[in-house]
Amino acid sequence: MLSNRWRPVRIKPVLAKKIFGMQFIDSQARKIMVYRVIALVLLWSISAPASAVIVRAQDDQTAARIADDKRTEETNGFRVEKVAVAGGSELITILARRSYLDGEMQGPISDIPLVSVLRDTLGDNKPENDRLRYVWMLTHTDPSFGQKLSALVPFLYSRTVNKANIRKESPPPILDLNAPNPAAYWNQAFWSIFKRLILSDIGVGIKASTLQYHQNKVDYRRTGIAAAAAVLSLYQELEGEKVFSDRELMDIQARLFLTDKPLGWRMQLENLERVYRKETFQTRDYRGHNWELLRQYSEAQGLYFDPLEMPDGTTRHAMVWVAAADLQSNKGKKFEKRFLNFASPWNDERLMNWKGYSEVRWYDKEDREVPAETPDAHPKTLIPLALYGLDHPKVPAILIDFRNNVNPKMREMSRRILNDLTGNVLSLSRFGGTPLFLGRFVYDFVTGRRGADINQASRLRSYAQLKLFLALNDSLDRGLSSEVSARIESATLNPLQNDAEVEARIAKAQYENLLAYANDPKGLPRKIDEDRREEMSRIKHSGKSRALFALASFLTFGRYRHREEYSPELLGALDNRRQLDFHERFLREVAFNSSDPEIDNRPDDVKQSLRFVAQNGTSASEKTTKALARIFAISKDEDIQTLSLQGLYRINNTAAKKELLAIYENERIEPRWRRTSARFLRLALDEGQRISSRDARMIAGIAAADHTEGNSN
């Protein structure tokens, strides 16, 4: 077994009986009607732009005004631009730097805009009332007409053409961070209805085409989300001052993780950090498991394991190499490809006469890699065999086979072909019958146990991360980088995707369009204003009224959105509501994640949030009520305990008074805190706060007893 120590390759952080037919249902008229519906849906899905707002070309004066509003910051090679948006918001964009070595974009340095995030600040400097709204992955765009036509072809698993031109329109946001996307929700609901009621009565050809297009579209969005998450993860882990707080970065990534989860958009704010940490820890477990698995099996076969380290210090990919000198000596040797998933290199004549990329590295007597000038160092010519993604469940996912481009592509296609054949052609559900269910179960179990990289989870995330790896790279050998980039493109399954160089041009063009949209008074500023006025309905209307608004939105398929008329008073109330949301979230996190607030958190921060709730927390939620009661119970700081009781008094709901009453009745609590609770309960009763009738009678009894005791004294 060969043993060696590898220096990680570091990259600088720069950046299926009827074919096109239909069963007769009731009448010819219904047949014609269904065909019309299909034609309209397909025409809409192909031609409808992702964004309804078209922005005119940006003239020189507009560009100058935008430039005046830009503020630039650099953090370890990443460059961040802040652009002020009228009405009190800012557009924050993370750009990466790279060197272009080939093609028409050749040049020394070029900034690639990657991710833009809109932060609504209400025009002030208080972080407590800031809201993150939209996220744009600037390499993600609305596909061209030709790409959409290609995406309709059943069982076409290949990129066909690139998008040639970017229209002067605002790019489609990949996510709304602050609210569920009603349009996306209703699109999904409409698709489910359409799939069950319409497609089930149509010939296989049309059905397969429609379902193929839908899956390609979903996968394309997932790719963009994976890329955005990778960019933000890299940016978060780098040292230095950042324009996003750690909480903001965790929130964005958690929302991205939740996009494919059922009801993920309903996740409460205080749970986002838990979602982020759970996903992060799980990914690290996958990575560590796959790292060690691939290393052991590579070295056991006499191969060289080479981890590729990202700028944040994580190893998300790894390569396996073979030494040219070992090919002859190991010829005819048995090769165990479990977990490696490529053909034996020992009987491959192509490797004996290899014309592709190779590297010469130097090793000492103990077979450790050393600099070329090290005394007694000897060279070895290494030939790349495969590149893997490590952030993958079960087994390392082979992304590139340097001798067989079809190998990783067929492994990725295995899942799509199986799903498309059973679902799109045969209309079989995984749970539609016992034989199919048992067959799939046994197949998945056997392939998983054998370490076969077949019918596994999609490689979309790993490929997106690898493309980002190359986009930010300026230290990998030029030949290796070009080779890997070309092979990534040949492994692409989705006709809606573009190659790396085209994505770089798309990102730049879309960023300019986004800047124009941000500078247009009828563009992003108007959208922000509409979002704020919709947010104000939470302040002005009761839960019953908001339920009626939600019903109206349901009956109009999400077209109706209730918005309030703007007023300074409502804007002030919105400011207060946002701050209350901020402090409520923090206190819930403290209560349910901490055993000692004074040790696990900064006491001043806890007191600040408690003080705000005690002064402005009338409309705080029942969850906050429980959080305050817990903080009171676990804290030993008198100020924190006092502020907790004041907050329970200030919150005007029955749950808060029930918690105060429980504190009063608990004889294990110090008498002074019980007396304070009784005083707050009497005040709440006198003020007519919301108290259950049972609790009100008990509080009245407390007041009467105290009055009698006072008279007797």
Side-chain angles (χ1 to χ4, degrees):
M1 180 179 69
L2 294 177
S3 62
N4 65 93
R5 294 183 178 270
W6 288 88
R7 291 180 302 171
V9 178
R10 296 183 178 270
I11 62 174
K12 297 180 181 179
V14 291
L15 247 322
K17 168 178 180 175
K18 313 176 291 270
I19 300 296
F20 286 95
M22 184 182 76
Q23 291 178 332
F24 289 97
I25 304 168
D26 292 323
S27 66
Q28 187 70 14
R30 185 176 177 184
K31 174 181 177 180
I32 296 173
M33 177 193 70
V34 173
Y35 271 126
R36 287 176 177 173
V37 171
I38 293 296
L40 286 173
V41 171
L42 290 178
L43 180 61
W44 172 82
S45 65
I46 293 176
S47 60
S51 175
V53 181
I54 306 298
V55 181
R56 289 192 294 268
Q58 182 181 354
D59 56 24
D60 293 340
Q61 293 181 351
T62 300
R65 288 196 299 270
I66 290 177
D68 290 339
D69 288 333
K70 285 184 180 180
R71 287 186 289 132
T72 300
E73 299 182 24
E74 291 196 27
T75 302
N76 287 346
F78 276 110
R79 186 166 68 84
V80 180
E81 284 187 355
K82 280 187 182 181
V83 179
V85 181
S89 298
E90 54 190 16
L91 187 66
I92 305 171
T93 302
I94 300 175
L95 301 93
R97 291 192 160 177
R98 67 172 284 187
S99 299
Y100 289 99
L101 302 173
D102 301 297
E104 59 186 77
M105 301 184 71
Q106 182 174 358
I109 292 294
S110 178
D111 292 340
I112 306 175
L114 298 175
V115 177
S116 291
V117 180
L118 179 67
R119 177 194 279 155
D120 181 5
T121 66
L122 293 181
D124 57 36
N125 295 320
K126 293 182 292 187
E128 294 86 358
N129 64 7
D130 291 352
R131 284 290 171 93
L132 299 177
R133 292 296 315 196
Y134 301 102
V135 177
W136 291 267
M137 184 64 201
L138 296 169
T139 59
H140 179 86
T141 185
D142 183 42
S144 68
F145 183 78
Q147 289 176 312
K148 293 179 179 180
L149 284 178
S150 299
L152 282 167
V153 180
F155 302 105
L156 174 61
Y157 305 117
S158 178
R159 184 175 57 80
T160 54
V161 295
N162 286 307
K163 184 169 183 176
N165 300 309
I166 301 296
R167 294 178 294 180
K168 296 296 182 178
E169 64 183 18
S170 61
I174 205 167
L175 185 65
D176 181 353
L177 291 163
N178 192 53
N181 187 342
Y185 174 77
W186 288 114
N187 284 342
Q188 184 177 3
F190 175 77
W191 170 253
S192 299
I193 296 172
F194 175 77
K195 181 179 178 180
R196 291 182 177 275
L197 299 185
I198 305 297
L199 290 182
S200 59
D201 294 325
I202 297 176
V204 172
I206 295 177
K207 180 177 70 174
S209 294
T210 306
L211 294 175
Q212 180 87 0
Y213 177 79
H214 180 262
Q215 187 60 53
N216 284 329
K217 187 176 180 180
V218 169
D219 287 347
Y220 181 52
R221 181 171 181 264
R222 287 172 178 167
T223 300
I225 289 173
V231 171
L232 292 165
S233 176
L234 288 175
Y235 178 74
Q236 181 181 20
E237 295 300 326
L238 297 175
E239 297 180 356
E241 185 178 357
K242 304 180 182 71
V243 295
F244 293 108
S245 67
D246 287 340
R247 172 181 283 186
E248 288 177 326
L249 286 168
M250 285 191 293
D251 285 356
I252 298 173
Q253 294 178 76
R255 287 295 185 193
L256 291 171
F257 295 148
L258 290 167
T259 51
D260 284 336
K261 304 294 184 182
L263 300 178
W265 52 274
R266 297 293 297 171
M267 183 64 66
Q268 298 296 315
L269 289 174
E270 63 268 20
N271 294 326
L272 291 181
E273 182 178 352
R274 177 174 57 83
V275 170
Y276 168 80
R277 297 196 182 282
K278 179 180 178 181
E279 183 73 20
T280 301
F281 293 155
Q282 185 181 59
T283 301
R284 288 175 181 172
D285 286 343
Y286 290 153
R287 191 181 301 151
H289 167 79
N290 290 331
W291 193 97
E292 188 61 23
L293 195 67
L294 190 60
R295 184 193 66 80
Q296 290 184 13
Y297 274 80
S298 298
E299 294 183 353
Q301 300 305 312
L303 305 175
Y304 292 79
F305 173 76
D306 183 10
L308 305 179
E309 189 173 305
M310 298 289 276
D312 62 350
T314 61
T315 303
R316 296 180 170 131
H317 302 91
M319 292 183 66
V320 172
W321 305 68
V322 64
D326 296 334
L327 294 171
Q328 187 63 40
S329 60
N330 289 315
K331 190 172 183 179
K333 177 182 176 181
K334 182 180 178 180
F335 182 77
E336 175 57 64
K337 69 175 185 178
R338 187 180 182 185
F339 299 115
L340 297 176
N341 294 303
F342 56 75
S344 171
W346 311 132
N347 303 308
D348 193 339
E349 293 298 329
R350 292 172 298 172
L351 290 175
M352 300 294 293
N353 303 282
W354 185 252
K355 304 299 182 183
Y357 178 83
S358 62
E359 281 188 10
V360 175
R361 297 183 183 180
W362 296 78
Y363 298 87
D364 60 16
K365 294 180 179 180
E366 297 180 0
D367 211 22
R368 294 177 300 189
E369 186 178 2
V370 294
E373 61 274 12
T374 303
D376 299 325
H378 60 280
K380 287 187 179 183
T381 300
L382 302 181
I383 301 174
L385 295 178
L387 191 150
Y388 298 83
L390 302 180
D391 290 4
H392 215 256
K394 296 184 180 179
V395 297
I398 184 170
L399 304 179
I400 294 175
D401 185 335
F402 288 89
R403 295 175 292 157
N404 184 3
N405 284 336
V406 178
N407 179 27
K409 187 167 186 175
M410 287 303 297
R411 294 177 186 276
E412 177 71 3
M413 285 170 57
S414 62
R415 183 181 181 87
R416 278 293 303 269
I417 291 175
L418 186 59
N419 291 336
D420 291 350
L421 182 62
T422 57
N424 300 356
V425 178
L426 302 178
S427 300
L428 297 176
S429 167
R430 184 182 183 94
F431 304 100
T434 302
L436 178 62
F437 174 78
L438 292 178
R440 287 290 298 269
F441 176 80
V442 171
Y443 178 73
D444 292 345
F445 177 79
V446 171
T447 55
R449 292 286 292 180
R450 291 295 302 166
D453 187 12
I454 300 174
N455 190 35
Q456 299 298 330
S458 176
R459 291 162 169 77
L460 289 175
R461 179 175 180 177
S462 291
Y463 274 118
Q465 293 172 343
L466 183 55
K467 292 179 76 170
L468 179 64
F469 179 96
L470 297 175
L472 300 179
N473 168 50
D474 74 339
S475 64
L476 282 181
D477 183 87
R478 177 179 175 179
L480 178 59
S481 181
S482 299
E483 179 85 2
V484 171
S485 181
R487 292 182 182 272
I488 290 176
E489 303 307 331
S490 67
T492 300
L493 301 186
N494 200 332
L496 300 179
Q497 289 186 224
N498 300 283
D499 65 35
E501 291 301 326
V502 171
E503 283 186 345
R505 289 195 291 267
I506 288 174
K508 291 186 175 184
Q510 290 205 137
Y511 184 43
E512 292 303 317
N513 291 343
L514 184 57
L515 291 178
Y517 183 45
N519 194 67
D520 184 0
K522 296 181 180 181
L524 193 54
R526 173 182 287 183
K527 178 61 178 172
I528 295 168
D529 180 69
E530 291 175 349
D531 290 340
R532 288 176 182 171
R533 291 192 292 114
E534 184 176 346
E535 192 179 349
M536 289 174 182
S537 64
R538 177 188 174 195
I539 299 169
K540 192 172 181 180
H541 298 281
S542 65
K544 292 181 180 179
S545 297
R546 297 199 303 272
L548 292 176
F549 298 150
L551 178 62
S553 179
F554 174 82
L555 295 176
T556 58
F557 297 96
R559 299 294 179 183
Y560 172 77
R561 309 287 293 274
H562 182 79
R563 298 183 177 98
E564 301 298 330
E565 291 296 326
Y566 173 84
S567 70
E569 293 76 18
L570 274 179
L571 184 62
L574 178 62
D575 178 11
N576 188 78
R577 179 69 251 185
R578 285 190 179 181
Q579 291 187 66
L580 181 59
D581 288 343
F582 175 89
H583 293 294
E584 283 189 89
R585 173 184 177 179
F586 175 70
L587 292 174
R588 292 178 197 171
E589 292 173 347
V590 169
F592 299 109
N593 297 328
S594 172
S595 59
D596 193 331
E598 295 85 43
I599 296 177
D600 299 336
N601 304 271
R602 291 186 298 182
D604 290 343
D605 292 343
V606 178
K607 292 175 185 178
Q608 180 183 3
S609 291
L610 287 170
R611 189 172 294 109
F612 189 91
V613 173
Q615 297 171 355
N616 306 280
T618 303
S619 59
S621 69
E622 290 189 9
K623 287 186 177 181
T624 303
T625 293
K626 294 179 181 180
L628 293 185
R630 174 165 171 76
I631 290 173
F632 172 82
I634 64 178
S635 177
K636 300 178 180 62
D637 186 291
E638 290 193 8
D639 290 338
I640 289 179
Q641 289 181 297
T642 300
L643 289 169
S644 296
L645 295 180
Q646 291 176 357
L648 289 172
Y649 157 69
R650 180 61 59 192
I651 298 175
N652 189 10
N653 61 42
T654 58
K657 303 309 168 284
K658 189 177 294 295
E659 293 291 349
L660 272 176
L661 191 58
I663 293 172
Y664 170 77
E665 293 176 337
N666 190 342
E667 296 182 354
R668 292 177 297 179
I669 295 177
E670 292 183 35
R672 59 190 179 116
W673 298 123
R674 297 177 63 198
R675 289 194 297 268
T676 302
S677 297
R679 178 167 59 86
F680 283 140
L681 287 169
R682 291 194 298 269
L683 286 174
L685 184 64
D686 293 341
E687 294 170 358
Q689 291 191 27
R690 293 184 218 168
I691 306 174
S692 69
S693 56
R694 176 181 176 276
D695 291 344
R697 290 193 297 270
M698 295 185 67
I699 295 171
I702 294 171
D706 289 348
H707 180 72
T708 302
E709 182 180 350
N711 290 337
S712 63
N713 292 332

